[in-house]
Amino acid sequence: MAYQSIQGLAHGRLDLLNQLRTFLVTTTGWTLHDDQSADPQPYFVFKSHGESGAEDVYLQFRISTTSGRIHVAAFQYWDAATHTGVNEASHTSYTYLRVEDSADFIFWLFADLDHVFVVTKLISTYYGHYSGSLKRFWSGAVALTQAAVTAGSGVVLQVNDATVVTPGQDYVIKDDAGIERVRVSAIDTAVTPNTITVETLVRDYASGAKIGEDPQPVINSYYNAPGTFYAVNKFDGWTSASGQQGRCGAANGGLQGETDPEMRYGTTILFPWLASMSGSAAYQELRGELIEIFAVGGGNVASEDTIQIGTDSYRVFNLTTGGWCAVKE
């Protein structure tokens, strides 16, 4: 579905959780994958295949045991029958929506089938939280395995389309249970189904597994985004819930003070928020950028102002720690 946004008033954090469910499922088109509203810590797990129909996004929003928070976690996969997730990306101390337990507060929700961005206003402070896929810098094309495969050396995968990979290059393969980095040694597009041969496969994979450059660029940010986040995976798989750390930075080179307002016409310049994997030097890379969120200076705008660019409107917030940003409405 198309990009959506709303502004509303929440009567405490449980009310926001329920309004978030309505917005994502009814308005935006996400699937309510697991409804645990009767749990002592009520939560919902939302699922989306993205705007492309080829993504895997699983997000859990849960009433936290800590006051003032709705905890957020992202997963490689969530089993709704057993209420358990595979390869979580979260941190109990940081990945949450900053909210009021029972008092009223204003909120804004921005989403499409790839991501959701939540802004809450507590008194006069604005908090932002981003979760879902990135606008990736790598290709989103994937080949789907047509049969289950077993771990080993020189493994041949039957796939629907082998043209999305190149022999001699490394790729990520994933299903609902595992993920790893593999090197493609050969492809055959003359046979049906096509085949991809990988040098080594560490674990077994089910039919329907995906292989590609970056098949699941899902992240879960701190409560004061843009800033630090945890990814569901990195280029060579998953380590732990907080083992795939990244951070966002505005692509303004520190020049926003000289470009907002831009003196020739007094316009506001929108810079993308870039997302990179940080932490260990073993997997640092520039991964992509946040979807429809841009850094701005505060020179000629105030929080809750709108910026009009053509037919598109952007809502401005001075987020705590994250700084000035403009979010497409």
Side-chain angles (χ1 to χ4, degrees), residues 125-156:
T125 303
Y126 299 86
Y127 299 88
H129 180 275
Y130 185 102
S131 53
S133 292
L134 294 169
K135 182 181 178 181
R136 55 165 76 83
F137 287 158
W138 315 118
S139 172
V142 294
L144 301 177
T145 60
Q146 303 298 289
V149 292
T150 304
S153 299
V155 179
V156 177

Side-chain angles (χ1 to χ4, degrees), residues 303-314:
S303 285
E304 302 185 41
D305 282 355
T306 57
I307 299 170
Q308 198 72 29
I309 300 178
T311 59
D312 294 328
S313 179
Y314 297 82

Side-chain angles (χ1 to χ4, degrees), residues 234-258:
K234 52 189 188 296
F235 73 90
D236 62 352
W238 180 89
T239 301
S240 65
S242 59
Q244 300 77 234
Q245 185 173 337
R247 61 190 179 93
C248 294
N252 55 27
L255 300 178
Q256 66 273 24
E258 291 90 61

